[in-house]
Amino acid sequence: MSIAIYAGSFDPITNGHVDIVMRANQVFEHIVVLVMQHSQKTGWLSLEQRVALVQETFSDHPSITVETASGLLAQYAQKRGIQTLIRGLRAVSDFDYEAQMALANRDICPGLDTVFFMTSKEYAYLSSSVVREMVQHQASVAHLVPAPVQGMIEL
Ligand code: ADP
């Protein structure tokens, strides 16, 4: 079975992430959405909250499962015996960082490849930080996040 890891902070998961996962699942039979502990980024939601929201978002999709990890993604992939990472690309500004990460991951774990999916144009500007900023200023994000995230915001 073809399997790939889509790792990120998902703080919170957005419709941009969902779009990448669903499209990647057309290419790979199984997607592991890997919610990472924050390393440098200052967090908004706790790891438990982020995982719960991702789990709820994909609860109707048995071919998409959720796991968590801290430490190096490449080491986690190696431990799980998974050789493909999925990442999303929005603008040229994502490219430098993503290229660096893809090369570093291959350096740590030879044979580990990164497959990039280009954002859908309606999500090209969307990031978790845009959502966090909008929520902080009471702007509606209902069109930008999956229902479980919207539900949490409305609480
Ligand atoms: P990280 O902290 O690892 O960057 P994120 O949760 O911010 O984690 O993002 C995970 C992945 O999803 C990254 O590859 C990022 O480029 C991609 N991504 C985020 N938002 C979008 C979007 N709107 N469209 C396409 N890809 C996206």
Side-chain angles (χ1 to χ4, degrees):
M1 184 172 65
S2 61
I3 179 163
I5 294 178
Y6 180 50
S9 312
F10 307 108
D11 191 18
I13 183 165
T14 71
N15 287 343
H17 295 127
V18 174
D19 174 62
I20 297 290
V21 173
M22 301 312 288
R23 287 163 56 204
N25 199 198
Q26 303 284 312
V27 179
F28 297 92
E29 290 165 287
H30 194 101
I31 304 291
V32 173
V33 182
L34 187 65
V35 183
M36 301 292 292
Q37 296 263 27
H38 291 293
S39 49
Q40 295 128 342
K41 287 188 184 178
T42 6
W44 183 49
L45 301 174
S46 69
L47 180 67
E48 291 71 25
Q49 286 173 305
R50 289 181 281 130
V51 168
L53 292 171
V54 176
Q55 261 163 352
E56 253 189 273
T57 300
F58 297 112
S59 57
D60 291 341
H61 299 271
S63 60
I64 299 165
T65 51
V66 185
E67 297 180 16
T68 66
S70 55
L72 292 178
L73 171 58
Q75 287 175 340
Y76 188 82
Q78 198 162 32
K79 198 172 73 187
R80 288 282 281 99
I82 298 174
Q83 293 209 310
T84 311
L85 303 177
I86 302 294
R87 295 290 287 178
L89 284 178
R90 281 157 296 187
V92 181
S93 51
D94 279 341
F95 182 83
D96 271 353
Y97 175 73
E98 294 294 346
Q100 197 182 356
M101 291 311 296
L103 293 174
N105 284 330
R106 261 182 91 76
D107 193 50
I108 298 162
C109 176
L112 183 60
D113 253 312
T114 305
V115 173
F116 294 98
F117 283 80
M118 184 53 65
T119 185
S120 294
K121 61 181 185 306
E122 60 269 43
Y123 304 127
Y125 68 96
L126 181 55
S127 65
S128 298
S129 57
V130 163
V131 168
R132 291 198 297 270
E133 190 84 11
M134 288 173 72
V135 170
Q136 263 156 29
H137 295 92
Q138 287 83 43
S140 171
V141 294
H143 55 307
L144 301 178
V145 296
V149 177
Q150 180 60 20
M152 178 209 66
I153 290 164
E154 282 168 2
L155 281 181

